[in-house]
Amino acid sequence: MPGRVRSAILWTGLLAALWALVGCSASKDPETEGAGTNVLIRFGKSDYVRANEFVRRFEEGRGDILYIVAPTVDSGPIIYDLVSDGRKVEVRRDDTRDAHGSSAGQTTFSCQAIGWTSKEGRPYLTVSQCEGEAEEHRLAKFDRSQK
């Protein structure tokens, strides 16, 4: 076989292998797509996976950071910054973008627990045993049927 033909076959094979490799790595698992981000904005399955990771890490005594941009019904979002050291969760609630929010603007409180509660079959990320805020506070509602 002439050298040019062999070289062309070799290059074609290498390009096909590279293309297959890139195509396989680009496939997305809908169960975990977006789960690596620290900002939750859609509250579907991928955000649920990430929020559940935050809860799991807290239960294991490990720290984590999570930002929740929670929509409101008739105005701007409420933003939650969650910072965990594995023993407590510091929550900063910012409703300055919500025209109907409290006059406080930003409030900070500390909670000893974080987990899941349910209402009408939907999971809510909830902090509890909080100081400086209601004993239990629902942060976000998730719809696991959405992406």
Side-chain angles (χ1 to χ4, degrees):
M1 192 180 291
R4 296 184 101 196
V5 172
R6 190 179 321 185
S7 179
I9 292 172
L10 179 63
W11 277 109
T12 303
L14 285 172
L15 288 174
L18 181 63
W19 182 66
L21 195 69
V22 169
C24 290
S25 67
S27 64
K28 295 183 178 167
D29 178 5
E31 198 67 29
T32 59
E33 180 182 350
T37 183
N38 288 338
V39 181
L40 308 185
I41 57 173
R42 294 200 174 110
F43 306 101
K45 191 178 291 187
S46 61
D47 282 357
Y48 176 82
V49 168
R50 177 60 181 100
N52 202 46
E53 179 185 358
F54 185 91
V55 171
R56 181 184 51 78
R57 289 176 61 90
F58 179 80
E59 291 169 349
E60 294 171 352
R62 296 169 41 202
D64 204 351
I65 296 174
L66 194 63
Y67 304 100
I68 298 173
V69 183
T72 59
V73 175
D74 56 358
S75 189
I78 297 173
I79 300 171
Y80 295 96
D81 298 355
L82 307 180
V83 179
S84 167
D85 64 2
R87 293 183 306 276
K88 67 182 184 296
V89 179
E90 292 290 327
V91 180
R92 186 177 73 182
R93 180 180 190 269
D94 180 353
D95 65 2
T96 57
R97 292 160 189 83
D98 180 11
H100 305 289
S102 69
S103 59
Q106 293 184 7
T107 56
T108 302
F109 50 98
S110 179
C111 303
Q112 299 300 316
I114 186 166
W116 297 99
T117 58
S118 181
K119 183 178 178 184
E120 299 171 1
R122 289 248 174 98
Y124 282 81
L125 183 63
T126 305
V127 290
S128 58
Q129 301 174 27
C130 301
E131 300 171 8
E133 184 69 18
E135 176 67 17
E136 182 176 277
H137 191 78
R138 289 187 188 138
L139 303 175
K141 173 176 65 173
F142 291 80
D143 184 357
R144 291 178 287 180
S145 66
Q146 294 182 351
K147 192 174 172 183

